[in-house]
Amino acid sequence: MKDKAEDETGAGGAARRVTLRDVAKLAGVSHQTVSRAINDKGEIDPETRRRVLEAAKELRYRPSRFARGLVRPGAVTVGLIVPDVVNPFFPELIAGVIDAAQARGWQIVVASSQDDTSREPDLLRGLAGQVDAMIGYLFQTDDVITAAIEGVPLVVMNRRPAETIFAAVDLDVAPGVHAAVDHLVAQGHRRIGMLDCPPACDPARRSGFLAAMAAHDLPADAIVDVEQSMTGGETGLETLHAAHPGLTAVFAFNDLIALGAYRAIRRLGLDIPADLALVGFDGLTVGEILDPPLTTVHIDKRRMGELAVAQAQHLLDGTQPGPVFLETRLLVRGSA
């Protein structure tokens, strides 16, 4: 009979590391069961544990250096994927996840797609072999995500998945956007533009803006699509102002874009808010140091992370929770 190790080869005969999924297939159990058996996490039938360990021995399975170095035996480990750890939105969210996990005695492993959505499936597959559950701020479609996680419990953030196997933490965007437009209208603004960001895959902000403008019977034809960066906000504001010089206020997709717009407004020699009022979205603390400070729709990002961990807890306990929604609220400062 051919040695099992001889079968575990990749292209050109290069050896391929045996994974938990390989052990699970041979033992006829789930990935989670293999993880718990190998890490001695309890709640597993002794016969099942024996079968798993025999399969691991037969396949010559060895936990990766990553797992041995970072994963504490017996602890629940959760993988967290975010698009960009440098984007000032995500450190607060990550902190919320870590705090809530530590309160449960859990460990968190953080990975970033570096704003490249094509990397998400590989990140999910890599973490799936090391963790008990995952939390992801993801942009791939549900079917791609489902194939990549291979049964590992997953909580998605800032989206409403069609796949009911996911748990979710989504934003209640509309009230915050409506409050922003209502505030601008109350300040006397009638020509309000928007800097939108389609690549961020959050159409609720644009649809909320359109609905709020329609509720006030105001035109909403001054919208420019930008990339998610300060540079995107800067160039977008210049384009918006050139095309619609009569605008007196701008709503930005998020605070990062608003920071770039803020810089462009100043370079154009305009006063904030007298000549052009500006409202962002996300509630980044960096907006407080501007002069005047940035008015923004606030998201409790730390709370968002805490809710994601609570959803993961439900999944690990064997229940399928419905999506939870985090409120958004207007934080009025000096820019509008």
Side-chain angles (χ1 to χ4, degrees), residues 92-107:
E92 288 187 55
L93 185 149
I94 293 170
V97 170
I98 291 174
D99 285 350
Q102 288 182 339
R104 292 167 167 81
W106 296 1
Q107 297 180 134

Side-chain angles (χ1 to χ4, degrees), residues 78-80 82 91-104 106 108 110 135 157 301-309:
V78 176
L80 171 63
V82 296
E92 288 187 55
L93 185 149
I94 293 170
V97 170
I98 291 174
D99 285 350
Q102 288 182 339
R104 292 167 167 81
W106 296 1
I108 295 294
V110 181
I135 298 170
M157 292 184 286
K301 296 164 284 297
R302 187 176 291 265
R303 178 61 178 160
M304 189 176 189
E306 293 170 351
L307 290 172
V309 173

Side-chain angles (χ1 to χ4, degrees), residues 59-70:
L59 291 175
R60 300 179 183 177
Y61 170 75
R62 295 186 304 275
S64 69
R65 182 172 57 186
F66 169 86
R68 291 196 303 269
L70 295 181

Side-chain angles (χ1 to χ4, degrees), residues 33-72:
T33 298
V34 173
S35 177
R36 291 186 176 278
I38 289 176
N39 290 304
D40 196 23
K41 293 185 178 180
E43 300 180 3
I44 296 178
D45 177 73
E47 173 58 25
T48 301
R49 185 190 304 277
R50 183 195 61 76
R51 193 165 74 251
V52 168
L53 295 179
E54 284 188 356
K57 182 178 180 181
E58 182 176 352
L59 291 175
R60 300 179 183 177
Y61 170 75
R62 295 186 304 275
S64 69
R65 182 172 57 186
F66 169 86
R68 291 196 303 269
L70 295 181
V71 179
R72 191 171 64 248

